[in-house]
Structures are given as C-alpha cells and as structure tokens.
Amino acid sequence: MSRKYVITLLSVGHACVDVYQGAVASLVPFFVSERSYTYAAASGIVLAASLLSSVAQPLFGALTDRHAMPWLLPSSTVVGGLGIALSGLSGSYALTLVFVAISGVGVAAYHPESARVARLASEGSHAAMGWFSLGGNIGFALAPVLVAVVVGTGGLHLSPLLVVPALAGSVLCLPVLRGLERTRAAGGASGAGQRGGVEDRSSFVRLALAVVCRSIVFIGLSTFVSFHVKERMGGSTAAGTAALFVLYLGGAVGTVVGGRLAERWNRVTVVRWSYLCTVGAVAGVVFVPGPAVYLFVALASAGLYVPFSLQVTLAQDYLPTRVGTASGITLGLTVSIGGLASPVIGRLADVTSLQTALTPLIVLPALAWLLFRDLPEPVAPERPAPEPARAPEKVET
C-alpha cells in the first residue's frame, strides 16, 4: 500500500472524527435557543467534551507507546459519533454533558494512535503530516454545515443522523488496518513507533505551554465567535454560523501552508512567525466591525493552524522514545485546556459583554511567540546509508 494512499485514507478518517470536535461548538447555539442555556451553561458543554479528553488522550498515548493498537481507529471513531448523536435526544442537561463527554473520550482515543500510524506512513515528511492534519481541519470546517443541515432544519431530535460520518470513517480505517497487518506479516515496522534519540524535556514543556495558549484562543473563538459575529452583524444567526465555518475552513488552509513552509524553513521559525501574526488577527476579530470581521476570523484561524501539525512532529522529536505520549499530550492540550477555559470566558461574558470576555485572547498568541523564541529545531536522526552493491566474485575454472 503506497504512502500517499495510506495518508489519504487517514486524512479522510481524521475528518470523520474531528467533525465531532467541531460539532460540539456548532451545537451550542441550538442548545441555547431550544433549551435557553446561559453562556456559562453552554460553555459547560464544551468543557464536558474536553475534560475527560484532557486526561484520556495522554493515557492512550502512553498505551500506544507500549503496544500498537490500530484497532482504536475504527472503534474510537464510532464512539465519538455516538456521543454527539445522542446528545440532542434528552432535555436533561446532565445527560447532555454525559453524552458529549463520551464523544470526547472517543476522540481522545483516536488521536494518539492515528498520529503514530500517520508518522510511520509519512516517513518523517512534514508535508504528509500536514495533509493528515488537514483532514481534521476539514472535519472541523464541515461540522457547522452538517449541524446546520441536520439540526438547523429539524431540531435537536434529529441529532442521531450525525452518526453517519462516524460509520463512514470507521469503514475507511479498515484498509489501513489490513495494510498494517500485511506489513507486520512481512516483517516491517509494526511496533508502537518508538525511535532512538535523546529526550529534550525542557523544550517539550515550553512547546506544551505554547499549545496551551493556542488551545485557549482557538476553543474560545470556536465557542463564542458565532455569538460575537451575530451581535456585530445585527443579530443574524446565519452570519454567526458563517463565521464558525470560516474559522474552521481557515484552519484547513493554515495546516497545508504550515507543512509546505516547514519544508522550506525550519518548523520553529514558521511557528514563531505564525503566532506573532496571529496577535493582530485576533485583535481584528474582537474589535473590527462589519463584514471585515470575516477576514480577521480567517487570518486568525490560519495563524493558529499553521503550527498545528508542526507542533505535533516537534513534540515527537523532542520525546523520540515516547512518540505516542508526545502526540497524546500535544493533541490533548489542543482541545482540553481551551475547554477548561471556556466556562471562565462564558461567565465573564454573562457579567460584562462578549467583546470584553474575548479581549484577553489577544495576549495569548504573544505568549506562545515568546515561548518559541529560543526553542531549538530538533535534528532528525540520519538514516543509515544503504550498503553499496558488491560486484560478483569471479570464479576461477
């Protein structure tokens, strides 16, 4: 099975999983309108989706360092979809939290193992890992469209239809699993993906702190940008949904651009400049009135997603003997810390205004830039050169 084919399948499967991360924020306006939730209560749903994920994702990463578990790809995809599908059926706030939490666990189980498999399939290519991450960004981008079509037209009681992408994604994982099995049978790489090398824990911690800053900004925007743009565009629900779509679509563009730029310059430089540019973009989202806000939403999204796949591979290179753990922590922090901060933003919005609550997000990309200023670019281990072909010995007769 070719590398390009495997990465394509993994990318599409990634989209089918991450549609459920995007669906949580996309469902929030419908929970507010149909169930009269406050901003704080609505952001609690985002918290529930990310709280268990923040603990589970590093644990699954540690497990994949010890044992390869490719079967997690289809099973976790289904779990992620079922949680979101059931979240709209009960009017109980507690049950809604339980269902979105179950979805969060499914998403958490998927990412470390899929990142490990993608790393093996990409053979260290930043561009290939960018394409894998692109799938997740497309899933995020499609989430508000999918939710608007299903829930926006028929209400929350049609949420079971949202399980369809999960079923499709689980089927797409099967050829990858068969390919891995054939590789294992042929004696190829089939372990948990560990590599040799020296760990740089200090750099990993600084990278993780930068990911925390990014997480709070992105999850904060994805939770509240639809409400914010709706207020600034005269109360149009469609305007708010469009802003969320632009936020996720800009991330898809940023991921591909990030992989390409890293092939030309080093990853640390690309991430550093991306965060610096994001400071102005987030300020534009918060303060610029009128339709121009969509431009700044797109720029902020691209700026936050250029570092996405690059931070994952950097984490793997800083902890080369624990690739699964590095992936689990990095990907887990991407959503979990932002989910923990969302209720704080929501509470501040309830007592002041949404614009005031979003203003502190401008500072966080600057902190991420500071954390990246002196980070070293890891040197990839050199592959052993192939032995030259030996000339056949002459046989004397």
mmCIF file with all atom_site columns, all heavy atoms in Angstrom, residues 45-73:
data_model
loop_
_atom_site.group_PDB
_atom_site.id
_atom_site.type_symbol
_atom_site.label_atom_id
_atom_site.label_alt_id
_atom_site.label_comp_id
_atom_site.label_asym_id
_atom_site.label_entity_id
_atom_site.label_seq_id
_atom_site.pdbx_PDB_ins_code
_atom_site.Cartn_x
_atom_site.Cartn_y
_atom_site.Cartn_z
_atom_site.occupancy
_atom_site.B_iso_or_equiv
_atom_site.pdbx_formal_charge
_atom_site.auth_seq_id
_atom_site.auth_comp_id
_atom_site.auth_asym_id
_atom_site.auth_atom_id
_atom_site.pdbx_PDB_model_num
ATOM 1   N N   . ILE A 1 45 ? -20.879 22.661 28.271 1.00 0.00 ? 45 ILE A N   1
ATOM 2   C CA  . ILE A 1 45 ? -20.957 21.529 27.351 1.00 0.00 ? 45 ILE A CA  1
ATOM 3   C C   . ILE A 1 45 ? -19.619 21.332 26.655 1.00 0.00 ? 45 ILE A C   1
ATOM 4   O O   . ILE A 1 45 ? -19.142 20.198 26.497 1.00 0.00 ? 45 ILE A O   1
ATOM 5   C CB  . ILE A 1 45 ? -22.090 21.757 26.326 1.00 0.00 ? 45 ILE A CB  1
ATOM 6   C CG1 . ILE A 1 45 ? -23.441 21.786 27.043 1.00 0.00 ? 45 ILE A CG1 1
ATOM 7   C CG2 . ILE A 1 45 ? -22.084 20.680 25.250 1.00 0.00 ? 45 ILE A CG2 1
ATOM 8   C CD1 . ILE A 1 45 ? -24.596 22.162 26.151 1.00 0.00 ? 45 ILE A CD1 1
ATOM 9   N N   . VAL A 1 46 ? -18.993 22.429 26.240 1.00 0.00 ? 46 VAL A N   1
ATOM 10  C CA  . VAL A 1 46 ? -17.661 22.346 25.642 1.00 0.00 ? 46 VAL A CA  1
ATOM 11  C C   . VAL A 1 46 ? -16.670 21.785 26.661 1.00 0.00 ? 46 VAL A C   1
ATOM 12  O O   . VAL A 1 46 ? -15.798 20.972 26.330 1.00 0.00 ? 46 VAL A O   1
ATOM 13  C CB  . VAL A 1 46 ? -17.206 23.730 25.144 1.00 0.00 ? 46 VAL A CB  1
ATOM 14  C CG1 . VAL A 1 46 ? -15.812 23.659 24.536 1.00 0.00 ? 46 VAL A CG1 1
ATOM 15  C CG2 . VAL A 1 46 ? -18.202 24.275 24.129 1.00 0.00 ? 46 VAL A CG2 1
ATOM 16  N N   . LEU A 1 47 ? -16.818 22.208 27.907 1.00 0.00 ? 47 LEU A N   1
ATOM 17  C CA  . LEU A 1 47 ? -15.952 21.703 28.969 1.00 0.00 ? 47 LEU A CA  1
ATOM 18  C C   . LEU A 1 47 ? -16.111 20.202 29.136 1.00 0.00 ? 47 LEU A C   1
ATOM 19  O O   . LEU A 1 47 ? -15.126 19.472 29.273 1.00 0.00 ? 47 LEU A O   1
ATOM 20  C CB  . LEU A 1 47 ? -16.275 22.420 30.279 1.00 0.00 ? 47 LEU A CB  1
ATOM 21  C CG  . LEU A 1 47 ? -15.620 21.868 31.550 1.00 0.00 ? 47 LEU A CG  1
ATOM 22  C CD1 . LEU A 1 47 ? -14.106 22.003 31.456 1.00 0.00 ? 47 LEU A CD1 1
ATOM 23  C CD2 . LEU A 1 47 ? -16.144 22.577 32.780 1.00 0.00 ? 47 LEU A CD2 1
ATOM 24  N N   . ALA A 1 48 ? -17.351 19.718 29.106 1.00 0.00 ? 48 ALA A N   1
ATOM 25  C CA  . ALA A 1 48 ? -17.591 18.279 29.272 1.00 0.00 ? 48 ALA A CA  1
ATOM 26  C C   . ALA A 1 48 ? -16.945 17.476 28.160 1.00 0.00 ? 48 ALA A C   1
ATOM 27  O O   . ALA A 1 48 ? -16.406 16.383 28.385 1.00 0.00 ? 48 ALA A O   1
ATOM 28  C CB  . ALA A 1 48 ? -19.095 18.007 29.310 1.00 0.00 ? 48 ALA A CB  1
ATOM 29  N N   . ALA A 1 49 ? -16.975 18.010 26.933 1.00 0.00 ? 49 ALA A N   1
ATOM 30  C CA  . ALA A 1 49 ? -16.386 17.297 25.806 1.00 0.00 ? 49 ALA A CA  1
ATOM 31  C C   . ALA A 1 49 ? -14.883 17.208 25.922 1.00 0.00 ? 49 ALA A C   1
ATOM 32  O O   . ALA A 1 49 ? -14.262 16.266 25.414 1.00 0.00 ? 49 ALA A O   1
ATOM 33  C CB  . ALA A 1 49 ? -16.775 17.984 24.495 1.00 0.00 ? 49 ALA A CB  1
ATOM 34  N N   . SER A 1 50 ? -14.272 18.169 26.600 1.00 0.00 ? 50 SER A N   1
ATOM 35  C CA  . SER A 1 50 ? -12.816 18.217 26.649 1.00 0.00 ? 50 SER A CA  1
ATOM 36  C C   . SER A 1 50 ? -12.224 17.758 27.971 1.00 0.00 ? 50 SER A C   1
ATOM 37  O O   . SER A 1 50 ? -11.040 17.439 28.041 1.00 0.00 ? 50 SER A O   1
ATOM 38  C CB  . SER A 1 50 ? -12.332 19.640 26.355 1.00 0.00 ? 50 SER A CB  1
ATOM 39  O OG  . SER A 1 50 ? -12.883 20.547 27.292 1.00 0.00 ? 50 SER A OG  1
ATOM 40  N N   . LEU A 1 51 ? -13.037 17.701 29.025 1.00 0.00 ? 51 LEU A N   1
ATOM 41  C CA  . LEU A 1 51 ? -12.496 17.395 30.349 1.00 0.00 ? 51 LEU A CA  1
ATOM 42  C C   . LEU A 1 51 ? -11.927 15.977 30.403 1.00 0.00 ? 51 LEU A C   1
ATOM 43  O O   . LEU A 1 51 ? -10.767 15.773 30.775 1.00 0.00 ? 51 LEU A O   1
ATOM 44  C CB  . LEU A 1 51 ? -13.575 17.582 31.418 1.00 0.00 ? 51 LEU A CB  1
ATOM 45  C CG  . LEU A 1 51 ? -13.106 17.453 32.864 1.00 0.00 ? 51 LEU A CG  1
ATOM 46  C CD1 . LEU A 1 51 ? -12.036 18.495 33.178 1.00 0.00 ? 51 LEU A CD1 1
ATOM 47  C CD2 . LEU A 1 51 ? -14.288 17.624 33.817 1.00 0.00 ? 51 LEU A CD2 1
ATOM 48  N N   . LEU A 1 52 ? -12.728 14.983 30.037 1.00 0.00 ? 52 LEU A N   1
ATOM 49  C CA  . LEU A 1 52 ? -12.229 13.607 30.033 1.00 0.00 ? 52 LEU A CA  1
ATOM 50  C C   . LEU A 1 52 ? -11.157 13.433 28.967 1.00 0.00 ? 52 LEU A C   1
ATOM 51  O O   . LEU A 1 52 ? -10.218 12.659 29.142 1.00 0.00 ? 52 LEU A O   1
ATOM 52  C CB  . LEU A 1 52 ? -13.386 12.631 29.799 1.00 0.00 ? 52 LEU A CB  1
ATOM 53  C CG  . LEU A 1 52 ? -14.292 12.354 31.001 1.00 0.00 ? 52 LEU A CG  1
ATOM 54  C CD1 . LEU A 1 52 ? -15.408 11.396 30.609 1.00 0.00 ? 52 LEU A CD1 1
ATOM 55  C CD2 . LEU A 1 52 ? -13.498 11.787 32.160 1.00 0.00 ? 52 LEU A CD2 1
ATOM 56  N N   . SER A 1 53 ? -11.314 14.145 27.857 1.00 0.00 ? 53 SER A N   1
ATOM 57  C CA  . SER A 1 53 ? -10.330 14.049 26.789 1.00 0.00 ? 53 SER A CA  1
ATOM 58  C C   . SER A 1 53 ? -8.954  14.493 27.262 1.00 0.00 ? 53 SER A C   1
ATOM 59  O O   . SER A 1 53 ? -7.927  13.915 26.869 1.00 0.00 ? 53 SER A O   1
ATOM 60  C CB  . SER A 1 53 ? -10.776 14.899 25.591 1.00 0.00 ? 53 SER A CB  1
ATOM 61  O OG  . SER A 1 53 ? -9.831  14.846 24.554 1.00 0.00 ? 53 SER A OG  1
ATOM 62  N N   . SER A 1 54 ? -8.906  15.500 28.127 1.00 0.00 ? 54 SER A N   1
ATOM 63  C CA  . SER A 1 54 ? -7.626  16.020 28.602 1.00 0.00 ? 54 SER A CA  1
ATOM 64  C C   . SER A 1 54 ? -6.865  14.976 29.404 1.00 0.00 ? 54 SER A C   1
ATOM 65  O O   . SER A 1 54 ? -5.627  14.975 29.423 1.00 0.00 ? 54 SER A O   1
ATOM 66  C CB  . SER A 1 54 ? -7.855  17.266 29.455 1.00 0.00 ? 54 SER A CB  1
ATOM 67  O OG  . SER A 1 54 ? -8.574  16.951 30.630 1.00 0.00 ? 54 SER A OG  1
ATOM 68  N N   . VAL A 1 55 ? -7.594  14.093 30.087 1.00 0.00 ? 55 VAL A N   1
ATOM 69  C CA  . VAL A 1 55 ? -6.957  13.030 30.856 1.00 0.00 ? 55 VAL A CA  1
ATOM 70  C C   . VAL A 1 55 ? -6.734  11.793 29.985 1.00 0.00 ? 55 VAL A C   1
ATOM 71  O O   . VAL A 1 55 ? -5.684  11.156 30.033 1.00 0.00 ? 55 VAL A O   1
ATOM 72  C CB  . VAL A 1 55 ? -7.821  12.667 32.086 1.00 0.00 ? 55 VAL A CB  1
ATOM 73  C CG1 . VAL A 1 55 ? -7.202  11.504 32.853 1.00 0.00 ? 55 VAL A CG1 1
ATOM 74  C CG2 . VAL A 1 55 ? -8.003  13.877 32.987 1.00 0.00 ? 55 VAL A CG2 1
ATOM 75  N N   . ALA A 1 56 ? -7.731  11.469 29.168 1.00 0.00 ? 56 ALA A N   1
ATOM 76  C CA  . ALA A 1 56 ? -7.687  10.224 28.414 1.00 0.00 ? 56 ALA A CA  1
ATOM 77  C C   . ALA A 1 56 ? -6.653  10.239 27.288 1.00 0.00 ? 56 ALA A C   1
ATOM 78  O O   . ALA A 1 56 ? -6.003  9.215  27.025 1.00 0.00 ? 56 ALA A O   1
ATOM 79  C CB  . ALA A 1 56 ? -9.072  9.928  27.841 1.00 0.00 ? 56 ALA A CB  1
ATOM 80  N N   . GLN A 1 57 ? -6.481  11.385 26.635 1.00 0.00 ? 57 GLN A N   1
ATOM 81  C CA  . GLN A 1 57 ? -5.619  11.402 25.463 1.00 0.00 ? 57 GLN A CA  1
ATOM 82  C C   . GLN A 1 57 ? -4.155  11.083 25.794 1.00 0.00 ? 57 GLN A C   1
ATOM 83  O O   . GLN A 1 57 ? -3.546  10.245 25.123 1.00 0.00 ? 57 GLN A O   1
ATOM 84  C CB  . GLN A 1 57 ? -5.735  12.748 24.733 1.00 0.00 ? 57 GLN A CB  1
ATOM 85  C CG  . GLN A 1 57 ? -5.328  12.662 23.282 1.00 0.00 ? 57 GLN A CG  1
ATOM 86  C CD  . GLN A 1 57 ? -6.128  13.580 22.374 1.00 0.00 ? 57 GLN A CD  1
ATOM 87  O OE1 . GLN A 1 57 ? -6.049  13.456 21.177 1.00 0.00 ? 57 GLN A OE1 1
ATOM 88  N NE2 . GLN A 1 57 ? -6.895  14.495 22.916 1.00 0.00 ? 57 GLN A NE2 1
ATOM 89  N N   . PRO A 1 58 ? -3.559  11.684 26.825 1.00 0.00 ? 58 PRO A N   1
ATOM 90  C CA  . PRO A 1 58 ? -2.196  11.275 27.187 1.00 0.00 ? 58 PRO A CA  1
ATOM 91  C C   . PRO A 1 58 ? -2.107  9.820  27.638 1.00 0.00 ? 58 PRO A C   1
ATOM 92  O O   . PRO A 1 58 ? -1.101  9.149  27.389 1.00 0.00 ? 58 PRO A O   1
ATOM 93  C CB  . PRO A 1 58 ? -1.835  12.233 28.328 1.00 0.00 ? 58 PRO A CB  1
ATOM 94  C CG  . PRO A 1 58 ? -2.720  13.417 28.123 1.00 0.00 ? 58 PRO A CG  1
ATOM 95  C CD  . PRO A 1 58 ? -3.994  12.858 27.591 1.00 0.00 ? 58 PRO A CD  1
ATOM 96  N N   . LEU A 1 59 ? -3.156  9.321  28.313 1.00 0.00 ? 59 LEU A N   1
ATOM 97  C CA  . LEU A 1 59 ? -3.148  7.917  28.738 1.00 0.00 ? 59 LEU A CA  1
ATOM 98  C C   . LEU A 1 59 ? -3.151  6.983  27.537 1.00 0.00 ? 59 LEU A C   1
ATOM 99  O O   . LEU A 1 59 ? -2.408  5.989  27.503 1.00 0.00 ? 59 LEU A O   1
ATOM 100 C CB  . LEU A 1 59 ? -4.354  7.635  29.642 1.00 0.00 ? 59 LEU A CB  1
ATOM 101 C CG  . LEU A 1 59 ? -4.348  8.302  31.017 1.00 0.00 ? 59 LEU A CG  1
ATOM 102 C CD1 . LEU A 1 59 ? -5.627  7.961  31.775 1.00 0.00 ? 59 LEU A CD1 1
ATOM 103 C CD2 . LEU A 1 59 ? -3.135  7.842  31.820 1.00 0.00 ? 59 LEU A CD2 1
ATOM 104 N N   . PHE A 1 60 ? -3.984  7.280  26.557 1.00 0.00 ? 60 PHE A N   1
ATOM 105 C CA  . PHE A 1 60 ? -3.984  6.473  25.342 1.00 0.00 ? 60 PHE A CA  1
ATOM 106 C C   . PHE A 1 60 ? -2.644  6.597  24.619 1.00 0.00 ? 60 PHE A C   1
ATOM 107 O O   . PHE A 1 60 ? -2.159  5.628  24.022 1.00 0.00 ? 60 PHE A O   1
ATOM 108 C CB  . PHE A 1 60 ? -5.129  6.898  24.417 1.00 0.00 ? 60 PHE A CB  1
ATOM 109 C CG  . PHE A 1 60 ? -6.470  6.331  24.805 1.00 0.00 ? 60 PHE A CG  1
ATOM 110 C CD1 . PHE A 1 60 ? -7.471  7.159  25.287 1.00 0.00 ? 60 PHE A CD1 1
ATOM 111 C CD2 . PHE A 1 60 ? -6.726  4.979  24.696 1.00 0.00 ? 60 PHE A CD2 1
ATOM 112 C CE1 . PHE A 1 60 ? -8.701  6.649  25.653 1.00 0.00 ? 60 PHE A CE1 1
ATOM 113 C CE2 . PHE A 1 60 ? -7.960  4.452  25.056 1.00 0.00 ? 60 PHE A CE2 1
ATOM 114 C CZ  . PHE A 1 60 ? -8.956  5.288  25.540 1.00 0.00 ? 60 PHE A CZ  1
ATOM 115 N N   . GLY A 1 61 ? -2.037  7.780  24.680 1.00 0.00 ? 61 GLY A N   1
ATOM 116 C CA  . GLY A 1 61 ? -0.721  7.947  24.071 1.00 0.00 ? 61 GLY A CA  1
ATOM 117 C C   . GLY A 1 61 ? 0.323   7.069  24.723 1.00 0.00 ? 61 GLY A C   1
ATOM 118 O O   . GLY A 1 61 ? 1.147   6.435  24.050 1.00 0.00 ? 61 GLY A O   1
ATOM 119 N N   . ALA A 1 62 ? 0.294   7.013  26.070 1.00 0.00 ? 62 ALA A N   1
ATOM 120 C CA  . ALA A 1 62 ? 1.246   6.160  26.781 1.00 0.00 ? 62 ALA A CA  1
ATOM 121 C C   . ALA A 1 62 ? 1.022   4.689  26.447 1.00 0.00 ? 62 ALA A C   1
ATOM 122 O O   . ALA A 1 62 ? 1.983   3.912  26.323 1.00 0.00 ? 62 ALA A O   1
ATOM 123 C CB  . ALA A 1 62 ? 1.119   6.390  28.291 1.00 0.00 ? 62 ALA A CB  1
ATOM 124 N N   . LEU A 1 63 ? -0.236  4.299  26.295 1.00 0.00 ? 63 LEU A N   1
ATOM 125 C CA  . LEU A 1 63 ? -0.532  2.905  25.937 1.00 0.00 ? 63 LEU A CA  1
ATOM 126 C C   . LEU A 1 63 ? 0.000   2.558  24.556 1.00 0.00 ? 63 LEU A C   1
ATOM 127 O O   . LEU A 1 63 ? 0.545   1.465  24.340 1.00 0.00 ? 63 LEU A O   1
ATOM 128 C CB  . LEU A 1 63 ? -2.048  2.665  25.991 1.00 0.00 ? 63 LEU A CB  1
ATOM 129 C CG  . LEU A 1 63 ? -2.673  2.564  27.378 1.00 0.00 ? 63 LEU A CG  1
ATOM 130 C CD1 . LEU A 1 63 ? -4.189  2.488  27.269 1.00 0.00 ? 63 LEU A CD1 1
ATOM 131 C CD2 . LEU A 1 63 ? -2.141  1.342  28.121 1.00 0.00 ? 63 LEU A CD2 1
ATOM 132 N N   . THR A 1 64 ? -0.146  3.484  23.603 1.00 0.00 ? 64 THR A N   1
ATOM 133 C CA  . THR A 1 64 ? 0.337   3.195  22.250 1.00 0.00 ? 64 THR A CA  1
ATOM 134 C C   . THR A 1 64 ? 1.855   3.175  22.168 1.00 0.00 ? 64 THR A C   1
ATOM 135 O O   . THR A 1 64 ? 2.419   2.627  21.221 1.00 0.00 ? 64 THR A O   1
ATOM 136 C CB  . THR A 1 64 ? -0.217  4.215  21.236 1.00 0.00 ? 64 THR A CB  1
ATOM 137 O OG1 . THR A 1 64 ? 0.200   5.533  21.612 1.00 0.00 ? 64 THR A OG1 1
ATOM 138 C CG2 . THR A 1 64 ? -1.732  4.158  21.184 1.00 0.00 ? 64 THR A CG2 1
ATOM 139 N N   . ASP A 1 65 ? 2.534   3.777  23.153 1.00 0.00 ? 65 ASP A N   1
ATOM 140 C CA  . ASP A 1 65 ? 3.988   3.650  23.208 1.00 0.00 ? 65 ASP A CA  1
ATOM 141 C C   . ASP A 1 65 ? 4.402   2.231  23.600 1.00 0.00 ? 65 ASP A C   1
ATOM 142 O O   . ASP A 1 65 ? 5.474   1.755  23.219 1.00 0.00 ? 65 ASP A O   1
ATOM 143 C CB  . ASP A 1 65 ? 4.574   4.648  24.220 1.00 0.00 ? 65 ASP A CB  1
ATOM 144 C CG  . ASP A 1 65 ? 4.706   6.043  23.642 1.00 0.00 ? 65 ASP A CG  1
ATOM 145 O OD1 . ASP A 1 65 ? 4.823   6.165  22.408 1.00 0.00 ? 65 ASP A OD1 1
ATOM 146 O OD2 . ASP A 1 65 ? 4.680   7.013  24.420 1.00 0.00 ? 65 ASP A OD2 1
ATOM 147 N N   . ARG A 1 66 ? 3.547   1.581  24.383 1.00 0.00 ? 66 ARG A N   1
ATOM 148 C CA  . ARG A 1 66 ? 3.857   0.215  24.826 1.00 0.00 ? 66 ARG A CA  1
ATOM 149 C C   . ARG A 1 66 ? 3.348   -0.837 23.848 1.00 0.00 ? 66 ARG A C   1
ATOM 150 O O   . ARG A 1 66 ? 4.000   -1.863 23.630 1.00 0.00 ? 66 ARG A O   1
ATOM 151 C CB  . ARG A 1 66 ? 3.237   -0.033 26.206 1.00 0.00 ? 66 ARG A CB  1
ATOM 152 C CG  . ARG A 1 66 ? 3.845   0.831  27.310 1.00 0.00 ? 66 ARG A CG  1
ATOM 153 C CD  . ARG A 1 66 ? 3.123   0.597  28.633 1.00 0.00 ? 66 ARG A CD  1
ATOM 154 N NE  . ARG A 1 66 ? 3.732   1.363  29.707 1.00 0.00 ? 66 ARG A NE  1
ATOM 155 C CZ  . ARG A 1 66 ? 4.708   0.916  30.476 1.00 0.00 ? 66 ARG A CZ  1
ATOM 156 N NH1 . ARG A 1 66 ? 5.212   -0.294 30.273 1.00 0.00 ? 66 ARG A NH1 1
ATOM 157 N NH2 . ARG A 1 66 ? 5.207   1.661  31.441 1.00 0.00 ? 66 ARG A NH2 1
ATOM 158 N N   . HIS A 1 67 ? 2.175   -0.595 23.299 1.00 0.00 ? 67 HIS A N   1
ATOM 159 C CA  . HIS A 1 67 ? 1.557   -1.585 22.414 1.00 0.00 ? 67 HIS A CA  1
ATOM 160 C C   . HIS A 1 67 ? 0.879   -0.856 21.255 1.00 0.00 ? 67 HIS A C   1
ATOM 161 O O   . HIS A 1 67 ? 0.106   0.083  21.478 1.00 0.00 ? 67 HIS A O   1
ATOM 162 C CB  . HIS A 1 67 ? 0.511   -2.425 23.148 1.00 0.00 ? 67 HIS A CB  1
ATOM 163 C CG  . HIS A 1 67 ? 1.009   -3.047 24.424 1.00 0.00 ? 67 HIS A CG  1
ATOM 164 N ND1 . HIS A 1 67 ? 1.838   -4.135 24.450 1.00 0.00 ? 67 HIS A ND1 1
ATOM 165 C CD2 . HIS A 1 67 ? 0.799   -2.690 25.726 1.00 0.00 ? 67 HIS A CD2 1
ATOM 166 C CE1 . HIS A 1 67 ? 2.113   -4.454 25.710 1.00 0.00 ? 67 HIS A CE1 1
ATOM 167 N NE2 . HIS A 1 67 ? 1.502   -3.589 26.497 1.00 0.00 ? 67 HIS A NE2 1
ATOM 168 N N   . ALA A 1 68 ? 1.153   -1.298 20.051 1.00 0.00 ? 68 ALA A N   1
ATOM 169 C CA  . ALA A 1 68 ? 0.430   -0.758 18.896 1.00 0.00 ? 68 ALA A CA  1
ATOM 170 C C   . ALA A 1 68 ? -1.026  -1.197 18.973 1.00 0.00 ? 68 ALA A C   1
ATOM 171 O O   . ALA A 1 68 ? -1.318  -2.376 19.188 1.00 0.00 ? 68 ALA A O   1
ATOM 172 C CB  . ALA A 1 68 ? 1.065   -1.244 17.604 1.00 0.00 ? 68 ALA A CB  1
ATOM 173 N N   . MET A 1 69 ? -1.946  -0.244 18.835 1.00 0.00 ? 69 MET A N   1
ATOM 174 C CA  . MET A 1 69 ? -3.380  -0.549 18.940 1.00 0.00 ? 69 MET A CA  1
ATOM 175 C C   . MET A 1 69 ? -4.146  0.068  17.773 1.00 0.00 ? 69 MET A C   1
ATOM 176 O O   . MET A 1 69 ? -4.994  0.946  17.959 1.00 0.00 ? 69 MET A O   1
ATOM 177 C CB  . MET A 1 69 ? -3.929  -0.039 20.275 1.00 0.00 ? 69 MET A CB  1
ATOM 178 C CG  . MET A 1 69 ? -3.339  -0.732 21.493 1.00 0.00 ? 69 MET A CG  1
ATOM 179 S SD  . MET A 1 69 ? -4.134  -0.248 23.051 1.00 0.00 ? 69 MET A SD  1
ATOM 180 C CE  . MET A 1 69 ? -3.554  1.444  23.188 1.00 0.00 ? 69 MET A CE  1
ATOM 181 N N   . PRO A 1 70 ? -3.865  -0.366 16.550 1.00 0.00 ? 70 PRO A N   1
ATOM 182 C CA  . PRO A 1 70 ? -4.555  0.233  15.401 1.00 0.00 ? 70 PRO A CA  1
ATOM 183 C C   . PRO A 1 70 ? -6.055  0.023  15.402 1.00 0.00 ? 70 PRO A C   1
ATOM 184 O O   . PRO A 1 70 ? -6.783  0.783  14.759 1.00 0.00 ? 70 PRO A O   1
ATOM 185 C CB  . PRO A 1 70 ? -3.885  -0.449 14.200 1.00 0.00 ? 70 PRO A CB  1
ATOM 186 C CG  . PRO A 1 70 ? -3.275  -1.697 14.737 1.00 0.00 ? 70 PRO A CG  1
ATOM 187 C CD  . PRO A 1 70 ? -2.891  -1.395 16.145 1.00 0.00 ? 70 PRO A CD  1
ATOM 188 N N   . TRP A 1 71 ? -6.536  -1.001 16.148 1.00 0.00 ? 71 TRP A N   1
ATOM 189 C CA  . TRP A 1 71 ? -7.985  -1.216 16.222 1.00 0.00 ? 71 TRP A CA  1
ATOM 190 C C   . TRP A 1 71 ? -8.713  -0.040 16.865 1.00 0.00 ? 71 TRP A C   1
ATOM 191 O O   . TRP A 1 71 ? -9.942  0.100  16.739 1.00 0.00 ? 71 TRP A O   1
ATOM 192 C CB  . TRP A 1 71 ? -8.279  -2.498 17.010 1.00 0.00 ? 71 TRP A CB  1
ATOM 193 C CG  . TRP A 1 71 ? -7.640  -2.553 18.364 1.00 0.00 ? 71 TRP A CG  1
ATOM 194 C CD1 . TRP A 1 71 ? -6.436  -3.094 18.688 1.00 0.00 ? 71 TRP A CD1 1
ATOM 195 C CD2 . TRP A 1 71 ? -8.181  -2.012 19.584 1.00 0.00 ? 71 TRP A CD2 1
ATOM 196 N NE1 . TRP A 1 71 ? -6.180  -2.936 20.035 1.00 0.00 ? 71 TRP A NE1 1
ATOM 197 C CE2 . TRP A 1 71 ? -7.237  -2.281 20.612 1.00 0.00 ? 71 TRP A CE2 1
ATOM 198 C CE3 . TRP A 1 71 ? -9.355  -1.341 19.909 1.00 0.00 ? 71 TRP A CE3 1
ATOM 199 C CZ2 . TRP A 1 71 ? -7.438  -1.902 21.932 1.00 0.00 ? 71 TRP A CZ2 1
ATOM 200 C CZ3 . TRP A 1 71 ? -9.573  -0.949 21.233 1.00 0.00 ? 71 TRP A CZ3 1
ATOM 201 C CH2 . TRP A 1 71 ? -8.614  -1.237 22.221 1.00 0.00 ? 71 TRP A CH2 1
ATOM 202 N N   . LEU A 1 72 ? -7.961  0.830  17.577 1.00 0.00 ? 72 LEU A N   1
ATOM 203 C CA  . LEU A 1 72 ? -8.586  2.007  18.166 1.00 0.00 ? 72 LEU A CA  1
ATOM 204 C C   . LEU A 1 72 ? -9.145  2.957  17.103 1.00 0.00 ? 72 LEU A C   1
ATOM 205 O O   . LEU A 1 72 ? -10.080 3.712  17.389 1.00 0.00 ? 72 LEU A O   1
ATOM 206 C CB  . LEU A 1 72 ? -7.570  2.771  19.024 1.00 0.00 ? 72 LEU A CB  1
ATOM 207 C CG  . LEU A 1 72 ? -7.345  2.303  20.462 1.00 0.00 ? 72 LEU A CG  1
ATOM 208 C CD1 . LEU A 1 72 ? -6.240  3.115  21.108 1.00 0.00 ? 72 LEU A CD1 1
ATOM 209 C CD2 . LEU A 1 72 ? -8.630  2.394  21.269 1.00 0.00 ? 72 LEU A CD2 1
ATOM 210 N N   . LEU A 1 73 ? -8.574  2.934  15.909 1.00 0.00 ? 73 LEU A N   1
ATOM 211 C CA  . LEU A 1 73 ? -9.012  3.894  14.890 1.00 0.00 ? 73 LEU A CA  1
ATOM 212 C C   . LEU A 1 73 ? -10.492 3.739  14.566 1.00 0.00 ? 73 LEU A C   1
ATOM 213 O O   . LEU A 1 73 ? -11.257 4.710  14.687 1.00 0.00 ? 73 LEU A O   1
ATOM 214 C CB  . LEU A 1 73 ? -8.147  3.781  13.635 1.00 0.00 ? 73 LEU A CB  1
ATOM 215 C CG  . LEU A 1 73 ? -6.878  4.639  13.591 1.00 0.00 ? 73 LEU A CG  1
ATOM 216 C CD1 . LEU A 1 73 ? -5.894  4.247  14.707 1.00 0.00 ? 73 LEU A CD1 1
ATOM 217 C CD2 . LEU A 1 73 ? -6.184  4.506  12.242 1.00 0.00 ? 73 LEU A CD2 1
#
